[in-house]
Amino acid sequence: SSFQFRFVNIAAVYWADAVWNIDYVRLDKNRNMYDTVVSDIGFAGDPSFLLNDYTSMPYRQFLPNKATETAPFYSNTIHNNRSVSAPLTYGFTASVLSPAALLQPVVYTNATVSANSIQVLANNAYTTTIPSTAVGRNDKVVFENKYFIQPTGLTGSSENDTIVKNIVFDNYLAYDDGSAEKSYYLNLYPTLPGKIAIEYYLNQPDTLRGLSIYFGRQLPFASYKSFSILVYSQLAGVNGAVEDKILLQQDLNNPLYVDTVNHFTNYKFENPLVLPPGTFFIGTLQPPGSGDDSIYFGLDVNRIGGNHAYYNVLNAWNPSLISGAIMMRPLLGQAVVASGVHDVADTRKQWSVSPNPAKDALRFDYDLDTKPTYRITDIQGRTTKEGTVPNSKTIDISGLVPGMYFVTLVAEGVAPVPQKIIKL
């Protein structure tokens, strides 16, 4: 009754992939050091998705091209932990959880599993039974694929003879499965911006309303760093395009970290963008001088096939050679609720500074009776430039080092909140 045990493993402190999981804890009488075979056949991997390329998409985007979007078959993996081959009967069912409907009744298949090996079990697709109607344009639809091993004396524990994969049709496009095993980041060149772009496609026109991003944890946190969100219709050098074509740019966003597993941060677009059918790209831009350690984005390494990702750190786009899906999801259709604290309108007199990002000059616009003073500080709080500026006039900033700065306008009746700018 007082027996205790402890598991210890050696891990790399600064790497997030040195994670160990314990599969079995086996206690029994009359055992010895040679009794190492676990008499069990169980599932050993995540089942494949119903979709062929995406892991999730709006149902309205799925229906116009249902045959192409649906995977030709579904698979999962099992592991025979025994030292001898064994016969096996496995089954598969499919249903819609919302609205409820049975798509595929149980189908049993016989197989033989080799000794101490991992094998793939395949199930035919059920394309013809997928409903084409009875759902609203923005409705969330959830499919459930259930795989199970018929109980026998060989399956051992009943807790790992069934595995379920839910496929969610909602308001976003995704290549990832919702969990990050590693992080993706750019090795930035000190005086050049770093860009990431993910290729997506639409089967029918839709409205792009924002971007959802999963950020990998890092020390120190990157919460103070800024990045822009960009939407492109084409990238220079990709698919025969000769130049970038930017459809939307939303500047000065910050990573957000929440103490919740698999939490995505939503960035709502101030001006939604109507997109035609076909390909588009969406991603991030990190300004020069934003730090050699960059920003960590979640990477789903279970992604199989092309990752649809491109990066640009030396003024040229290159396909990413890192296997896995970068966890950025375009938000489509219905209104998006942004993460974080909502802005509260300030009743004091407003002012603005432009352009942003800026290269050589900044223009100040305000509604004041007196000429105010301005102050520009770097991210360490050091004043790099200050003075007075008339309304609708510019100041020279060509001498500032590229990076992020804070601009404050000092005058009676003016909101003292600084504005962030990027110096190119």
Side-chain angles (χ1 to χ4, degrees), residues 190-207:
T191 59
L192 294 174
K195 305 174 187 177
I196 297 172
I198 315 296
E199 181 181 33
Y200 294 90
Y201 62 91
L202 297 174
N203 291 318
Q204 65 174 7
D206 217 319
T207 302

mmCIF file of all heavy atoms in Angstrom, residues 190-207:
data_model
loop_
_atom_site.group_PDB
_atom_site.id
_atom_site.type_symbol
_atom_site.label_atom_id
_atom_site.label_comp_id
_atom_site.label_asym_id
_atom_site.label_seq_id
_atom_site.Cartn_x
_atom_site.Cartn_y
_atom_site.Cartn_z
ATOM 1 N N PRO A 190 19.187 42.146 -40.231
ATOM 2 C CA PRO A 190 19.000 43.317 -39.362
ATOM 3 C C PRO A 190 18.304 44.517 -40.012
ATOM 4 O O PRO A 190 17.538 45.216 -39.350
ATOM 5 C CB PRO A 190 20.430 43.682 -38.940
ATOM 6 C CG PRO A 190 21.197 42.403 -39.069
ATOM 7 C CD PRO A 190 20.589 41.673 -40.231
ATOM 8 N N THR A 191 18.551 44.782 -41.296
ATOM 9 C CA THR A 191 18.014 46.001 -41.920
ATOM 10 C C THR A 191 16.886 45.719 -42.899
ATOM 11 O O THR A 191 16.477 46.623 -43.631
ATOM 12 C CB THR A 191 19.139 46.753 -42.655
ATOM 13 O OG1 THR A 191 19.694 45.889 -43.655
ATOM 14 C CG2 THR A 191 20.218 47.180 -41.674
ATOM 15 N N LEU A 192 16.369 44.472 -42.936
ATOM 16 C CA LEU A 192 15.307 44.138 -43.874
ATOM 17 C C LEU A 192 14.119 43.539 -43.129
ATOM 18 O O LEU A 192 14.288 42.877 -42.092
ATOM 19 C CB LEU A 192 15.803 43.130 -44.919
ATOM 20 C CG LEU A 192 16.891 43.605 -45.885
ATOM 21 C CD1 LEU A 192 17.368 42.452 -46.757
ATOM 22 C CD2 LEU A 192 16.379 44.758 -46.743
ATOM 23 N N PRO A 193 12.917 43.747 -43.641
ATOM 24 C CA PRO A 193 11.749 43.138 -42.996
ATOM 25 C C PRO A 193 11.718 41.634 -43.257
ATOM 26 O O PRO A 193 12.319 41.128 -44.212
ATOM 27 C CB PRO A 193 10.569 43.833 -43.687
ATOM 28 C CG PRO A 193 11.094 44.241 -45.024
ATOM 29 C CD PRO A 193 12.547 44.587 -44.801
ATOM 30 N N GLY A 194 11.027 40.915 -42.402
ATOM 31 C CA GLY A 194 10.826 39.481 -42.585
ATOM 32 C C GLY A 194 9.354 39.199 -42.839
ATOM 33 O O GLY A 194 8.484 39.701 -42.125
ATOM 34 N N LYS A 195 9.073 38.394 -43.861
ATOM 35 C CA LYS A 195 7.683 38.164 -44.259
ATOM 36 C C LYS A 195 7.388 36.661 -44.341
ATOM 37 O O LYS A 195 8.229 35.869 -44.738
ATOM 38 C CB LYS A 195 7.400 38.786 -45.631
ATOM 39 C CG LYS A 195 7.727 40.267 -45.735
ATOM 40 C CD LYS A 195 7.558 40.754 -47.160
ATOM 41 C CE LYS A 195 8.047 42.178 -47.336
ATOM 42 N NZ LYS A 195 7.952 42.637 -48.751
ATOM 43 N N ILE A 196 6.166 36.313 -43.956
ATOM 44 C CA ILE A 196 5.629 34.972 -44.114
ATOM 45 C C ILE A 196 4.315 35.100 -44.863
ATOM 46 O O ILE A 196 3.518 35.996 -44.573
ATOM 47 C CB ILE A 196 5.391 34.279 -42.756
ATOM 48 C CG1 ILE A 196 6.704 34.098 -41.997
ATOM 49 C CG2 ILE A 196 4.698 32.933 -42.934
ATOM 50 C CD1 ILE A 196 6.505 33.593 -40.567
ATOM 51 N N ALA A 197 4.068 34.221 -45.832
ATOM 52 C CA ALA A 197 2.805 34.211 -46.559
ATOM 53 C C ALA A 197 2.354 32.767 -46.749
ATOM 54 O O ALA A 197 3.151 31.913 -47.149
ATOM 55 C CB ALA A 197 2.942 34.911 -47.907
ATOM 56 N N ILE A 198 1.098 32.488 -46.457
ATOM 57 C CA ILE A 198 0.516 31.161 -46.611
ATOM 58 C C ILE A 198 -0.488 31.216 -47.765
ATOM 59 O O ILE A 198 -1.313 32.128 -47.833
ATOM 60 C CB ILE A 198 -0.193 30.687 -45.335
ATOM 61 C CG1 ILE A 198 0.675 30.962 -44.092
ATOM 62 C CG2 ILE A 198 -0.534 29.203 -45.443
ATOM 63 C CD1 ILE A 198 1.962 30.226 -44.060
ATOM 64 N N GLU A 199 -0.414 30.253 -48.648
ATOM 65 C CA GLU A 199 -1.298 30.203 -49.806
ATOM 66 C C GLU A 199 -2.603 29.484 -49.453
ATOM 67 O O GLU A 199 -2.595 28.390 -48.880
ATOM 68 C CB GLU A 199 -0.600 29.466 -50.951
ATOM 69 C CG GLU A 199 -1.421 29.371 -52.224
ATOM 70 C CD GLU A 199 -0.706 28.603 -53.318
ATOM 71 O OE1 GLU A 199 0.045 27.656 -52.976
ATOM 72 O OE2 GLU A 199 -0.866 28.954 -54.498
ATOM 73 N N TYR A 200 -3.727 30.125 -49.797
ATOM 74 C CA TYR A 200 -5.050 29.540 -49.613
ATOM 75 C C TYR A 200 -5.840 29.687 -50.913
ATOM 76 O O TYR A 200 -5.429 30.416 -51.814
ATOM 77 C CB TYR A 200 -5.804 30.233 -48.476
ATOM 78 C CG TYR A 200 -5.190 30.013 -47.107
ATOM 79 C CD1 TYR A 200 -4.224 30.884 -46.607
ATOM 80 C CD2 TYR A 200 -5.578 28.938 -46.322
ATOM 81 C CE1 TYR A 200 -3.651 30.666 -45.357
ATOM 82 C CE2 TYR A 200 -5.014 28.723 -45.066
ATOM 83 C CZ TYR A 200 -4.054 29.588 -44.595
ATOM 84 O OH TYR A 200 -3.497 29.379 -43.368
ATOM 85 N N TYR A 201 -6.976 29.018 -50.983
ATOM 86 C CA TYR A 201 -7.819 29.128 -52.172
ATOM 87 C C TYR A 201 -9.290 29.095 -51.756
ATOM 88 O O TYR A 201 -9.652 28.553 -50.698
ATOM 89 C CB TYR A 201 -7.528 28.001 -53.167
ATOM 90 C CG TYR A 201 -7.805 26.618 -52.615
ATOM 91 C CD1 TYR A 201 -9.055 26.015 -52.765
ATOM 92 C CD2 TYR A 201 -6.823 25.910 -51.937
ATOM 93 C CE1 TYR A 201 -9.312 24.765 -52.239
ATOM 94 C CE2 TYR A 201 -7.075 24.659 -51.410
ATOM 95 C CZ TYR A 201 -8.322 24.082 -51.572
ATOM 96 O OH TYR A 201 -8.572 22.843 -51.044
ATOM 97 N N LEU A 202 -10.132 29.690 -52.593
ATOM 98 C CA LEU A 202 -11.572 29.714 -52.381
ATOM 99 C C LEU A 202 -12.262 29.052 -53.560
ATOM 100 O O LEU A 202 -11.856 29.225 -54.712
ATOM 101 C CB LEU A 202 -12.083 31.149 -52.235
ATOM 102 C CG LEU A 202 -11.561 31.957 -51.036
ATOM 103 C CD1 LEU A 202 -12.060 33.390 -51.125
ATOM 104 C CD2 LEU A 202 -12.000 31.325 -49.723
ATOM 105 N N ASN A 203 -13.340 28.315 -53.277
ATOM 106 C CA ASN A 203 -14.133 27.702 -54.335
ATOM 107 C C ASN A 203 -15.263 28.602 -54.806
ATOM 108 O O ASN A 203 -15.857 28.351 -55.857
ATOM 109 C CB ASN A 203 -14.701 26.366 -53.858
ATOM 110 C CG ASN A 203 -13.625 25.310 -53.686
ATOM 111 O OD1 ASN A 203 -12.730 25.186 -54.516
ATOM 112 N ND2 ASN A 203 -13.687 24.558 -52.601
ATOM 113 N N GLN A 204 -15.581 29.632 -54.019
ATOM 114 C CA GLN A 204 -16.588 30.608 -54.403
ATOM 115 C C GLN A 204 -16.269 31.919 -53.688
ATOM 116 O O GLN A 204 -15.467 31.945 -52.752
ATOM 117 C CB GLN A 204 -17.987 30.124 -54.046
ATOM 118 C CG GLN A 204 -18.250 29.979 -52.552
ATOM 119 C CD GLN A 204 -19.704 29.637 -52.263
ATOM 120 O OE1 GLN A 204 -20.485 29.387 -53.157
ATOM 121 N NE2 GLN A 204 -20.067 29.644 -50.989
ATOM 122 N N PRO A 205 -16.831 33.049 -54.135
ATOM 123 C CA PRO A 205 -16.521 34.336 -53.497
ATOM 124 C C PRO A 205 -16.834 34.301 -51.998
ATOM 125 O O PRO A 205 -17.767 33.625 -51.550
ATOM 126 C CB PRO A 205 -17.430 35.327 -54.233
ATOM 127 C CG PRO A 205 -17.745 34.672 -55.527
ATOM 128 C CD PRO A 205 -17.785 33.201 -55.254
ATOM 129 N N ASP A 206 -16.051 35.040 -51.220
ATOM 130 C CA ASP A 206 -16.269 35.097 -49.774
ATOM 131 C C ASP A 206 -15.660 36.381 -49.238
ATOM 132 O O ASP A 206 -14.895 37.070 -49.932
ATOM 133 C CB ASP A 206 -15.652 33.885 -49.080
ATOM 134 C CG ASP A 206 -16.502 33.384 -47.927
ATOM 135 O OD1 ASP A 206 -17.035 34.237 -47.176
ATOM 136 O OD2 ASP A 206 -16.637 32.154 -47.775
ATOM 137 N N THR A 207 -15.979 36.681 -47.983
ATOM 138 C CA THR A 207 -15.477 37.893 -47.335
ATOM 139 C C THR A 207 -14.439 37.529 -46.290
ATOM 140 O O THR A 207 -14.724 36.760 -45.365
ATOM 141 C CB THR A 207 -16.624 38.674 -46.673
ATOM 142 O OG1 THR A 207 -17.609 38.996 -47.657
ATOM 143 C CG2 THR A 207 -16.102 39.964 -46.053
#
